[in-house]
Amino acid sequence: MATFADIGLAAGINILTALVFLIAFAILRLQPINDRVYFPKWYLKGLRSSPTHSGAFVTKFVNMDWRSYIRFLNWVPDALKMPEPELIDHAGLDSAVYLRIYLLGLKIFVPVALLAWAILVPVNWTNNTLAVSKATDRLQYSNIDKLSISNIAHGSPRFWTHIVMAYAFTFWTCFTLRKEYETVANMRLHFLASERRRPDQFSVLVRNVPPDNDETVTESVEHFFLVNHPDTYLTHQVVINANKLAKLVKEKKSKQNWLDYYQIKYSRNQSTRPVAKTGFLGLCGEKVDAIDYQTAEIERLSKEIAEERERVKTDPKCIMPAAFVSFKTRWGAAVCAQTQQSRNPTLWLTEWASEPRDVYWDNLAIPYVSLSIRRLIIAVAFFFLTFFFIIPVTIVQSFANVEGIEKRAPFLRPIIEVPFIKSLIQGVLPGIALKIFLIVLPSILMMMSKVEGYLSISSLERRAAMRYYIFNFINVFLVSVVAGTALEQLDSFLKMSANEIPEIIGVAIPMKATFFITYVMVDGWAGVAGEILRIKPLVIFHLKNFFLVKTEKDREAAMDPGSIGFNTGEPQIQLYFLLGLVYAVVTPIFLPFILVFFALAYIVFRHQIINVYNQEYESAAAFWPSVHGRIISALVFSQLVLMGLMSTKGNARFTPILIVLPVLTIFFHRFCKGRYEPAFVRYPLQEAMMKDTLERAREPNLNLKGYLQDAYIHPVFKNDDDDDDYEDNFNGKSDDNVLVPTKRQSRRNTPAPSKMSGASSPSLPDVVPEEL
Amino acid sequence: MATFADIGLAAGINILTALVFLIAFAILRLQPINDRVYFPKWYLKGLRSSPTHSGAFVTKFVNMDWRSYIRFLNWVPDALKMPEPELIDHAGLDSAVYLRIYLLGLKIFVPVALLAWAILVPVNWTNNTLAVSKATDRLQYSNIDKLSISNIAHGSPRFWTHIVMAYAFTFWTCFTLRKEYETVANMRLHFLASERRRPDQFSVLVRNVPPDNDETVTESVEHFFLVNHPDTYLTHQVVINANKLAKLVKEKKSKQNWLDYYQIKYSRNQSTRPVAKTGFLGLCGEKVDAIDYQTAEIERLSKEIAEERERVKTDPKCIMPAAFVSFKTRWGAAVCAQTQQSRNPTLWLTEWASEPRDVYWDNLAIPYVSLSIRRLIIAVAFFFLTFFFIIPVTIVQSFANVEGIEKRAPFLRPIIEVPFIKSLIQGVLPGIALKIFLIVLPSILMMMSKVEGYLSISSLERRAAMRYYIFNFINVFLVSVVAGTALEQLDSFLKMSANEIPEIIGVAIPMKATFFITYVMVDGWAGVAGEILRIKPLVIFHLKNFFLVKTEKDREAAMDPGSIGFNTGEPQIQLYFLLGLVYAVVTPIFLPFILVFFALAYIVFRHQIINVYNQEYESAAAFWPSVHGRIISALVFSQLVLMGLMSTKGNARFTPILIVLPVLTIFFHRFCKGRYEPAFVRYPLQEAMMKDTLERAREPNLNLKGYLQDAYIHPVFKNDDDDDDYEDNFNGKSDDNVLVPTKRQSRRNTPAPSKMSGASSPSLPDVVPEEL
């Protein structure tokens, strides 16, 4: 039974941690040497250049201007100042709408918190049920419980307040959700409408082109669309299976990094030429001269790449039965993407082409039947992952003890037997397998989405986010509320009636309030403050800078701006929505903690999005329907739990009143789905026609074919033929978007734009040699 | 515990009943006077005319040719002889595919029955569990139970046979379903492809046209489509709210019928002019001369109709924000129907126009928001109907006793007090409220679908069928298996765990086998045989013939061919699928009874479809996805029940093996949905383009605008302006389909085709004055 003092202590510690992080950040970001870690977005935009160009030697690395330290919290108003339209221009609609999720949290929970504290807290507090039961049953309770629903007597008429509040909260949440859905849908449509010409506006991805003995795929595609879309078909680009080529190119890049590393090492210490082992991870195998070895390897790979490139271009086996088909008008593309082409609905599947940089090339060649089998397998795999992951983790943990390590790696014995290290290992190891599992979980989920065959990075992330949310809901939320592993719970829930489950959860909810308050403070407050520090990118950047960077271009490549990380970030926010909605009626004291999280996270992520993150793709907020859907499901869950709780409080008569809530909420969801979702999955012909007409009037002599010709070539071809060409081409869109630099963005504006752009940032992490 | 003898007796009685029906039918159908009752389809097709034209007076009414009685079962081979393509020509694809549901039943259950009898029956029979338990526990059992799964000892390894069989049956069912889905999809596509020109191929229904202050609806529609479909837009027809006009016309028709009735009555008995009361149902009010009164009424109505017609045509309030838009090509219509038109996805909603005769005009004007509220209300209403219908029925029954009637209608007392009548009423009354409810239930469900706002009669029927199936599943199947009303069960199921429910049902299933065998014999065998007799239409036809018919045309109007009645017929078949699948493994002796039903029903309905039913619309088998889906859900239910049964038989270790079955079945369903369902909801552009090209080559000078101009005018306008015009126009389609009469169709072919067609048959039942 935590008291106010306990909570206060925990809050103090976490506020302190958060403050330390924020101060550390405020200091570190002012050091010129860290400039590329904390402002990479501006470098990528070409609006900021390395501070090494000017000034004294010391000031290159350390900021000696004491005045700048006084204004160390300036980043907060800076982050908030940029207006939304400019933010959309600067970072894309995805990022701007992502921030709106935090804002939505504030919009929902600020009035809910005010109402709850104005009405529910007094109603709970002025009761004396707990005091009475303390006197009679010697039941321990704390002040926090006095504020919660637990302080209301069994069957008391005061529960009417809670019912009315549940209705009020539901209506407010739905009202806000609807308004937000409308806003986001309009933002999306406006964004799409105001965009300059982009290849994906004219293009459709066609899959499952049926094989034809007399025609090649490209002939077959051309004939089909010439016949069935005679007025609008323009050109097409067949998809080539260049996965092996891409792998070779990636390998060459990694070897090149190693070569750089050894060369720098050698140039610093010319007495000994670096040596390396050729075997697994450089740990075993024969010793060779590292520079010679890597040079030879790179040569070998270059040759192989050239061969493979030739083979891919000529071998018909590498031509996939898929193509990007481009049309003369947006109208033509919109029509083709939304209609069924062939009698057999599994052939000639058409859908909107994603942005070129959003395309996930590896999955373009998966046939239809295989797709449904893959989904089945992944669904089963995810079920087992969610409910049985604890088993392999436990097995690994049973091996990972000191004796186990000594047995398997006897050479480590002398080190391990040192008492301090031994106790350290024994203290850390038991949890480490679980920790590692949780760290790699997002990657596992991402891999699952890839196996399922989604075609764009954005849809992969959306899918992974959904799975991550479900995993969190079961293994973080439910497991914390009801004791026992997920598997045990599945077993016990299966044996319970549909009535009992909400009761069990409902009764446990108020008791776990303090646990979740602590969770919010650790994960939400300190965690978000830690996010702004960017410790990992900071360390990696400086390591790279020291070991690999030879030219200015290398330094640009060493920056790791990262991205929002929708697949991990959004499920985290959703967990807070769930907690907030569940506790709103039950334990209103919980709400301020959630509010602090939403406010802090909003500021931090706004700062990061403006200064750091470089989004890899632009899906025009295609994720909003799932965000909306998950909040709705959390709302329904909270209503069911409240129903369960009420029925154990001797208020079964409230059940019919409360059951109306989920019914209405689901109805509201269906209404929103019908009203707003089409804006996220279809493209209205009216819009397309309007843009076509405008464009025809503005640029009557546009050579669209030239523009679209190479838009959808596998990046590996563009990348290697001519690096500069590739990037120019790739950024065709952002070049179109004339970017007006504003004053507040950067201290040192450079007029010449940088060549580097976000397009290649996905491959950046791979540049790091694994052992660095 | 029913024995073989009991079942045999019941079977004997029901076979006898069925035989009596069949013989009565064989005799009645040979009487010329009944010709129009048993062969209306041929009259409507114009391939048969009244036998009254030729021959002696007596032979007009009674068949004196004794030889024809010898061949009284000839209708069976006749019904089976017509090949399927001819059947599709004759009765439409809907009817032909409807018959395939019965055939599908045979295809699934004949091999299942053979396998079950070859393997399961011996395995069950050669056990002696029941004999042992009889000896020890004095448990009663019958031979039927010896053949069922009950005869296997607790935890016996023999259950492996049942598991293997469950797998075999599932695979066979899925295999057959897939093949059938494929066949039907191909039939549908072939049907659509080989059809002649039809207005609905070129037309799209547009709803929620946004109001515009400067333009009328028709201008607004024209402008919108001229802008957004400039190359393909042809013409449009605004929907007019003529519901009141239609009501007046209907009223006039009814009055006309009464007038005819009184005139005939007067002509037969010229001594007294008929009188009638003007009040409610002719039961009260002042007495008037019936012929004069009806003539005056008709005059008044004619005047009102003329006024209303003028008003509707000019009043802008009667113009609905909806229109049928026609395109120059099928391709244009296919594009418009499948795409989103406007930014706001609730405006300019487009969908395929149904056939003109399939349109449900009353619902065309419902706005979007109202639609979702209507669905919510109906969903709640259906829930209450399903679980609480028994409450009002019981209340009505409590009033409907002899005392209650005497109290409310004292003038009936002398009749009721006659002992014979009193005991009759007391015997019949208690069940009568339930019976009446069950009779009107399909109409209630149909009304619910109408309130929900579906736009075509076919979709109304599909929706009503789904609800009827759910109602049957809960209130017939579940209530019979687990004792207690649906409401009590809902309550107890809610209190049970997810594990227990299948166990409860699974254990009860084998015990109810004999009950359901009897049910199949009464409802399936005798019921189907009764269907062919058409007692109700027979009686009504002769009544009408006697009281109303003045001209040959009246006689045609007096025929009531009826239709398949998808909304009641299909749920009945589905109940048999459910029973067959549930009992296949548990009580294989059940299967032959199901087989007899499917075979008998197939023959009977094939005969009826060829000779009697006149389908009101043609949806090109659009109902198949729901048929398929319901069989799949029955399959999954049967697997869950088997799982429950097995776990009570000490074989919980089988659960993991059995749980694979529903997972695979659901996966199979999703595969089929993706693979075949688009054929039923979308229209491939390839097809449209092919037909357009062909047509352009064949008829380059076709005046399509003239053809489509009046295709979608509210029937009330066509009907009254010029009857003949209307029908010719309406049957444009069937005139196109050149009908080649074949030898076997009819004994007396008439070369001149009749004017009458199915198009107006929907209004036929309304012609009957309520009191006849």
Side-chain angles (χ1 to χ4, degrees), chain A residues 108-124:
Chain A
I108 291 178
F109 288 114
V110 165
V112 165
L114 289 177
L115 206 61
W117 277 79
I119 296 174
L120 281 183
V121 167
V123 167
N124 293 339

Side-chain angles (χ1 to χ4, degrees), chain B residues 244-257:
Chain B
K244 194 185 160 194
L245 183 59
K247 211 179 127 199
L248 288 174
V249 168
K250 200 172 140 190
E251 207 182 325
K252 184 182 162 191
K253 244 187 187 164
S254 149
K255 302 270 182 202
Q256 186 68 51
N257 274 330

Side-chain angles (χ1 to χ4, degrees), chain A residues 185-186 189-190 193 224 227-232 331 334-346 348 368-369 372-373 375-376 380 491 493-500 663-664 667 670-671 673-679 682-687 689-690, chain B residues 185-186 189-190 193 224 227-232 331 334-346 348 368-369 372-373 375-376 380 491 493-500 663-664 667 670-671 673-679 682-687 689-690:
Chain A
N186 283 335
L189 287 171
H190 180 76
F224 186 85
V227 168
N228 292 306
H229 297 267
D231 301 329
T232 51
W331 190 90
V335 161
C336 183
Q338 294 179 57
T339 50
Q340 188 186 338
Q341 308 303 314
S342 132
R343 281 180 75 147
N344 183 335
T346 63
W348 296 105
Y368 186 83
V369 177
S372 39
I373 294 170
R375 297 227 165 127
L376 174 70
V380 173
D491 193 47
F493 281 160
L494 271 181
K495 284 184 187 138
M496 271 180 230
S497 79
N499 266 347
E500 275 173 322
V663 171
L664 283 181
F667 161 70
R670 291 187 55 177
F671 167 75
K673 205 178 159 73
R675 174 69 183 78
Y676 300 112
E677 203 179 288
R682 311 180 84 183
Y683 189 55
L685 294 186
Q686 197 181 15
E687 290 278 328
M689 189 52 100
M690 217 150 65
Chain B
N186 282 334
L189 287 172
H190 179 78
F224 186 85
V227 168
N228 293 304
H229 296 268
D231 302 329
T232 50
W331 189 90
V335 161
C336 184
Q338 293 178 55
T339 50
Q340 189 188 335
Q341 307 304 315
S342 133
R343 280 181 76 148
N344 183 336
T346 62
W348 296 106
Y368 186 84
V369 177
S372 37
I373 295 170
R375 296 225 166 130
L376 174 71
V380 173
D491 193 46
F493 281 160
L494 270 182
K495 285 187 186 135
M496 271 181 230
S497 79
N499 266 348
E500 276 173 321
V663 171
L664 283 180
F667 162 69
R670 293 187 55 177
F671 167 77
K673 202 175 162 74
R675 173 71 183 78
Y676 300 112
E677 203 178 287
R682 310 180 83 183
Y683 189 54
L685 295 186
Q686 197 181 17
E687 290 277 328
M689 189 52 99
M690 215 151 65

Side-chain angles (χ1 to χ4, degrees), chain A residues 174-186:
Chain A
C174 288
F175 174 73
T176 322
L177 277 175
R178 199 198 69 84
K179 245 180 80 185
E180 197 66 19
Y181 212 152
E182 190 165 17
T183 315
V184 173
N186 283 335

Side-chain angles (χ1 to χ4, degrees), chain A residues 127-146:
Chain A
N127 245 343
N128 60 350
T129 310
L130 288 175
V132 167
S133 56
K134 186 187 182 184
T136 55
D137 313 340
R138 304 187 172 276
L139 195 77
Q140 286 301 312
Y141 74 95
S142 74
N143 287 333
I144 287 184
D145 288 323
K146 266 204 82 167

